[in-house]
Amino acid sequence: MKSKNYILEMFPYPSGNIHMGHVRNYVIGDICARYHKLKGDDVIHPMGWDAFGLPAENAAIQFKTHPKDWTLENIKNMKSQLKKLNLDLDWDRELATCNSDYYRYQQELFIDLYNAGLAYKKDALVNWDPIDQTVLANEQVIDGKGWRTGAEVEKKNLSQWFFKITHYAEELLSGLEKLDLWPEKVKTMQKNWIGRSVGAEIKFKIAGKDNFLNIFTTRPDTIYGATFIAVSINHKIVRDCLGDSEIKKIKNEFDQISDEKEKLGFSLKLNCIHPILDKEIPIYVANFVLDTYGEGAIFGCPAHDERDYDFAKKYSLPIIKVIECNDDELPYIGNGKVINSPMLNGFEKDEAIDKITNYFKKTGIGSEKVNYKIRDWGVSRQRYWGCPIPVIYYEDGSYRVLDKSELPVFLPYDVKLEGKGNALLKNDEWRNIICSKTKKPAFRETDTLDTFVDSSWYYIRFLNNKLEKPFEPNNVNNFLPVDKYIGGIEHAILHLLYSRFFMKALRDIYKLKVDEPFKQLFTQGMITHKTYKTQKNEWVMPKDVYLENGNLYKLKTKEIVLEGPSEKMSKSKKNVIEPDEILKEYGIDATRIFMISDSPPDRELEWTEEGIQSSKNLTHRIVKYFSQEQSQIDQSTKKKVEKFIHDIEMNILNFSLNKCVADIYTLFNFLERKKIYLYNHDLSKKILTCLFPIMPNLSISLNKSIFNANDFDTWPIVDLELLKENEIRLPVQIQGKLVTTIDTLKGYKENEILKEIYKLDKIKNKIVNKKIVKVINVQDKIINIITS
RNA sequence: GCGCCAGUGGCGGAAUGGUAGACGCGCUGGUCUUAGGAACCAGUGGGCAACCGUGGGGGUUCGAGUCCCUCCUGGCGCACCA
């Protein structure tokens, strides 16, 4: 029976042109796919388009076109470019997320998630990107800036749709351990993002009132050292104590701090009662308390927390040591015996935490708590070019999630895309409807879904892109997970975490047997290229630079040019290489070879003229080799070919594609040096079959011209007998240092070979007048002689 | 600051604890050619040599690029996460 093998490269955003990064990505996948097909696997290798998203809207405004027209035109263009690469893709599985035959099923999934309690709407303080004019998920804010625009993100209170990714926080974390074919780096990043920490939640009663403040801490053992409470500016207690104008004023003060670490706080003129000591401690609103973590409130233990210490010093708050240490070590974060804490004195940290947490539980003061940094995924986007959310609102503000029978909600074509704001909001004709159930006037949700929702399940839809439901559960069980998923590391958290969440949610809703979407993840490195600048700091294209008398100059203007580091190709740095031009000049196979030859696929590849040229030369060399008439073939040639088959197979399986290229050179170096020509010998067939995944076009044409065959059969089975090497060159060491080697046969007798070894001059000279203490013979590997 | 990864010739990079530098680029010399981004041959870690060499210093081992400790450097990620 054929075994399935789902090989997938991250589908592209149809920006209009493929770039070298795409080429490298797809070549890696294509080599895998072609290899596994030759092995007889049932290979799935689809391609599609991540077609919703903002660039289309921006382009529409800029070029007075329509996002749909722009996108479809780009897809057409990019598809023809991909065709030129002649990749072995299942084009009949093609899909584009902007087509209603894709997004209508996404609307079904939205309804499923809603019914399962995994999609919900709430008022929330969200990240607002002022340039893209939309909300962003936490994952899409990097250093306080929008991931696409780089604009400073603002906080806005809006009613938004969320997916409950936190429901799976624990499983998303623990599941990482089973992903043994994922890069450690990606797993670490996800782990940090999920941010699990174990501690306690403690209730602090507010003095003179009936309510409590909930506080999460990982150090309940330091509770006796708590001398103040601090809350974030967005905590609801702040609104209870202060008026809008006061809050605004404080926010302003916080914003004005230039040193990020500087602590600033204002007393709420309110106290909390210490849950054990029965004393009152003040509540502050402080700039360093995160409102998105825990409950947005902390207890300050200045003696054993750096931040609390800074704050306490600034506002002259008491500092009480509760962990044994010297005064000059404060704030002391390390381990030690608990002191000044009647219930805990003398205990070490872990014991003390257990003990005090138990006490909290018993008395109802608090409880054990596992806290996660990850927040629910905000999926509403105030943009036109995305999947409509299947929800309607009534005049009284209530809403209804549509039934599946009411789908699809088509995205209207006739919209005015001028300037800023969501075009759907202005489209009354589309927006205003009569509810088919209540017959009441209603209006549609005008937010669309984050495009990361589109890419969270496309690999499932690829299994059957024409099905009149999202997917067929049996199909999913049989063909998922994706066996090899290849793409850039920039999606380490965003896309890959969302997809894992989706898989788990759909598993639970549809009773699927698949826990994880991607069994193996391979992250390919980016392509870099030399950069050049004039002395006026203008970037110069590498091809416009020439060398004269040891200096670099720019063509035409003859300005002096300085060479910069090799950097990721980008239009702004003018160091981009266009795939179309390269394919035209060097051909597909040479391009493919270069994409894998100079560095391991998961590392950076530096684009060089020499690199692409020598790849081209290799193809010429192979063609030339196979044009020679057949010669005598010896046993060593047969062995060499077997080794070649074996090595190249191992290297494809391990993604060590750079070593595949080395294997090819090694083979042809051997054959040419010995002037052994195989022409139409059976071995040629084997070699061409092994070359096929890497240089398919050349292999096909040689197969045709030499064997008059149109196809390759299966990947050759390695003859392990032939791989066994009988004659070996045995290294001989003295005191663990290599002295010489001796040619012998495998399976030699230790005492016999030693006799031979002792006759060797190099050995004799070294052991003369010395006593041989010991001989270590690692059979067929090495001999090490230890002398006194 | 914390975490992860990595440091090997002029360069990109190879090496299940067992001959360090496979393979490629570049370079040197040569052959052929009207010509060369062509092809072919020879060479290419350092040192005249004994020997020395995988960022530095320790350690484990008969034996370390590989394992352990420590420091340094670089890259990436996270970063007031209580």
Side-chain angles (χ1 to χ4, degrees), chain A residues 53-64 67 131-132 148 383:
Chain A
L54 266 166
E57 274 188 68
N58 294 336
I61 295 163
Q62 198 183 339
F63 305 119
K64 300 250 182 291
I131 291 183
D132 276 351
R148 274 182 19 83
R383 304 298 315 198

Side-chain angles (χ1 to χ4, degrees), chain A residues 466-478:
Chain A
K466 289 163 194 86
L467 205 66
E468 291 186 356
K469 55 181 178 177
F471 51 80
E472 174 56 51
N474 275 334
N475 235 345
V476 175
N477 289 336
N478 290 335

Side-chain angles (χ1 to χ4, degrees), chain A residues 677-695:
Chain A
Y677 298 101
L678 297 168
Y679 192 60
N680 63 354
H681 190 277
D682 283 351
L683 292 178
S684 284
K685 190 88 181 179
K686 287 187 177 182
I687 293 170
L688 289 176
T689 308
C690 294
L691 292 180
F692 173 74
I694 292 163
M695 34 186 116

Side-chain angles (χ1 to χ4, degrees), chain A residues 72-288:
Chain A
L72 295 182
E73 183 61 31
N74 284 349
I75 289 175
K76 210 175 110 191
N77 195 30
M78 283 176 78
K79 191 172 173 180
S80 84
Q81 291 175 328
L82 282 185
K83 290 268 184 183
K84 283 182 205 160
L85 269 167
N86 197 16
L87 300 164
D88 189 11
L89 291 164
D90 306 340
W91 282 110
D92 54 339
R93 296 182 189 272
E94 183 182 4
L95 60 82
T97 56
C98 67
N99 289 340
S100 63
D101 59 5
Y102 183 83
Y103 72 68
R104 66 189 297 166
Y105 300 109
Q106 187 160 306
Q107 291 171 343
E108 280 195 28
L109 297 183
F110 180 91
I111 294 168
D112 288 333
L113 288 170
Y114 179 78
N115 291 335
L118 294 170
Y120 64 96
K121 197 175 190 203
K122 72 167 179 193
D123 286 328
L125 204 58
V126 290
N127 312 298
W128 178 261
D129 186 317
I131 291 183
D132 276 351
Q133 292 279 303
T134 184
V135 162
L136 297 176
N138 294 327
E139 290 79 6
Q140 294 155 18
V141 178
I142 294 148
D143 286 338
K145 297 183 174 75
W147 71 296
R148 274 182 19 83
T149 62
E152 199 75 37
V153 163
E154 298 161 12
K155 288 282 178 185
K156 272 202 176 186
N157 212 344
L158 291 171
S159 183
Q160 298 280 295
W161 285 97
F162 287 86
F163 286 166
K164 211 172 191 173
I165 194 167
T166 54
H167 179 73
Y168 292 98
E170 187 62 47
E171 201 194 336
L172 285 168
L173 181 69
S174 62
L176 290 171
E177 282 169 34
K178 284 175 266 168
L179 293 175
D180 55 331
L181 298 177
W182 277 42
E184 263 335 292
K185 190 177 174 174
V186 175
K187 289 194 279 185
T188 309
M189 283 166 75
Q190 292 208 354
K191 204 171 159 183
N192 290 341
W193 185 262
I194 295 164
R196 181 183 198 265
S197 40
V198 182
E201 191 170 85
I202 306 171
K203 287 202 275 188
F204 281 75
K205 191 175 182 304
I206 297 165
K209 301 206 173 177
D210 292 330
N211 48 341
F212 292 85
L213 265 182
N214 285 329
I215 284 173
F216 173 76
T217 179
T218 53
R219 294 295 304 273
D221 56 317
T222 63
I223 185 71
Y224 283 93
T227 58
F228 68 94
I229 299 288
V231 299
S232 112
I233 184 72
N234 296 310
H235 197 282
K236 70 177 191 310
I237 195 173
V238 177
R239 265 171 287 148
D240 294 344
C241 295
L242 305 172
D244 282 350
S245 62
E246 284 171 294
I247 294 175
K248 220 172 181 177
K249 225 175 100 187
I250 294 173
K251 272 189 181 166
N252 246 329
E253 301 244 5
F254 285 173
D255 287 344
Q256 271 164 26
I257 289 178
S258 52
D259 174 10
E260 274 188 13
K261 297 267 176 197
E262 194 186 327
K263 307 287 179 285
L264 190 62
F266 297 91
S267 171
L268 285 180
K269 304 197 172 64
L270 200 62
N271 290 336
C272 266
I273 296 166
H274 190 288
I276 297 175
L277 293 173
D278 224 20
K279 65 172 182 183
E280 295 197 3
I281 56 175
I283 308 175
Y284 285 82
V285 50
N287 66 335
F288 67 96

Side-chain angles (χ1 to χ4, degrees), chain A residues 614-627:
Chain A
S614 62
S615 299
K616 179 77 184 168
N617 293 346
L618 177 61
T619 63
H620 282 158
R621 185 173 158 193
I622 292 170
V623 170
K624 197 175 148 197
Y625 172 81
F626 280 108
S627 69

Side-chain angles (χ1 to χ4, degrees), chain A residues 496-762:
Chain A
L496 290 167
L497 192 61
Y498 294 147
S499 296
R500 293 183 64 219
F501 157 68
F502 244 76
M503 195 72 246
K504 290 175 198 305
L506 295 178
R507 174 199 63 196
D508 291 345
I509 293 165
Y510 286 89
K511 307 273 176 280
L512 302 172
K513 291 179 190 146
V514 187
D515 295 315
E516 291 285 347
F518 313 120
K519 188 172 167 196
Q520 177 170 17
L521 174 69
F522 189 86
T523 52
Q524 100 268 8
M526 62 188 186
I527 301 185
T528 65
H529 193 197
K530 275 264 144 58
T531 52
Y532 297 95
K533 268 183 182 179
T534 63
Q535 283 166 322
K536 286 183 240 155
N537 258 342
E538 288 160 347
W539 299 99
V540 181
M541 286 197 270
K543 65 176 177 184
D544 288 345
V545 175
Y546 69 95
L547 182 72
E548 199 176 281
N549 304 326
N551 289 321
L552 296 167
Y553 298 94
K554 184 179 173 181
L555 283 179
K556 291 178 191 163
T557 66
K558 305 209 156 126
E559 286 167 277
I560 287 203
V561 169
L562 299 170
E563 187 176 309
S566 200
E567 292 190 67
K568 183 176 180 176
M569 289 186 180
S570 80
K571 285 206 177 94
S572 62
K573 289 176 186 149
K574 295 201 175 167
N575 64 342
V576 172
I577 296 289
E578 292 298 339
D580 269 358
E581 289 171 25
I582 295 304
L583 288 172
K584 216 190 275 173
E585 196 172 346
Y586 297 94
I588 297 173
D589 287 345
T591 307
R592 289 170 71 100
I593 293 164
F594 181 50
M595 289 293 102
I596 60 168
S597 62
D598 274 13
S599 45
D602 55 348
R603 279 199 228 167
E604 273 182 9
L605 172 72
E606 185 177 2
W607 180 274
T608 60
E609 199 59 35
E610 293 86 351
I612 182 72
Q613 184 58 49
S614 62
S615 299
K616 179 77 184 168
N617 293 346
L618 177 61
T619 63
H620 282 158
R621 185 173 158 193
I622 292 170
V623 170
K624 197 175 148 197
Y625 172 81
F626 280 108
S627 69
Q628 307 275 341
E629 268 180 54
Q630 195 179 313
S631 64
Q632 283 288 321
I633 289 149
D634 64 358
Q635 188 68 5
S636 72
T637 306
K638 289 180 186 162
K639 284 187 170 188
K640 198 77 187 175
V641 173
E642 285 311 307
K643 183 161 164 48
F644 170 71
I645 299 167
H646 174 265
D647 289 352
I648 207 163
E649 180 162 26
M650 284 305 143
N651 286 328
I652 289 175
L653 286 170
N654 294 330
F655 283 102
S656 301
L657 301 179
N658 54 323
K659 287 193 259 168
C660 288
V661 180
D663 294 335
I664 295 169
Y665 277 108
T666 306
L667 176 71
F668 286 97
N669 285 349
F670 172 90
L671 294 170
E672 285 174 344
R673 261 165 219 163
K674 294 190 77 168
K675 298 208 187 321
I676 291 170
Y677 298 101
L678 297 168
Y679 192 60
N680 63 354
H681 190 277
D682 283 351
L683 292 178
S684 284
K685 190 88 181 179
K686 287 187 177 182
I687 293 170
L688 289 176
T689 308
C690 294
L691 292 180
F692 173 74
I694 292 163
M695 34 186 116
N697 304 283
L698 181 150
S699 309
I700 287 168
S701 94
L702 288 174
N703 194 32
K704 179 97 188 140
S705 63
I706 298 172
F707 296 103
N708 196 27
N710 289 318
D711 297 302
F712 291 100
D713 305 329
T714 55
W715 187 269
I717 293 163
V718 176
D719 185 343
L720 292 171
E721 278 307 306
L722 273 176
L723 269 188
K724 283 184 189 157
E725 201 57 65
N726 231 345
E727 294 158 27
I728 51 167
R729 178 155 293 175
L730 188 71
V732 182
Q733 297 179 331
I734 293 178
Q735 317 289 62
K737 278 176 150 185
L738 179 78
V739 176
T740 186
T741 61
I742 183 166
D743 291 335
T744 180
L745 293 176
K746 268 193 176 174
Y748 57 81
K749 292 250 168 34
E750 184 182 333
N751 53 356
E752 284 170 18
I753 194 88
L754 275 172
K755 270 185 221 160
E756 297 299 315
I757 288 169
Y758 292 146
K759 283 184 206 157
L760 298 169
D761 285 344
K762 277 192 169 175

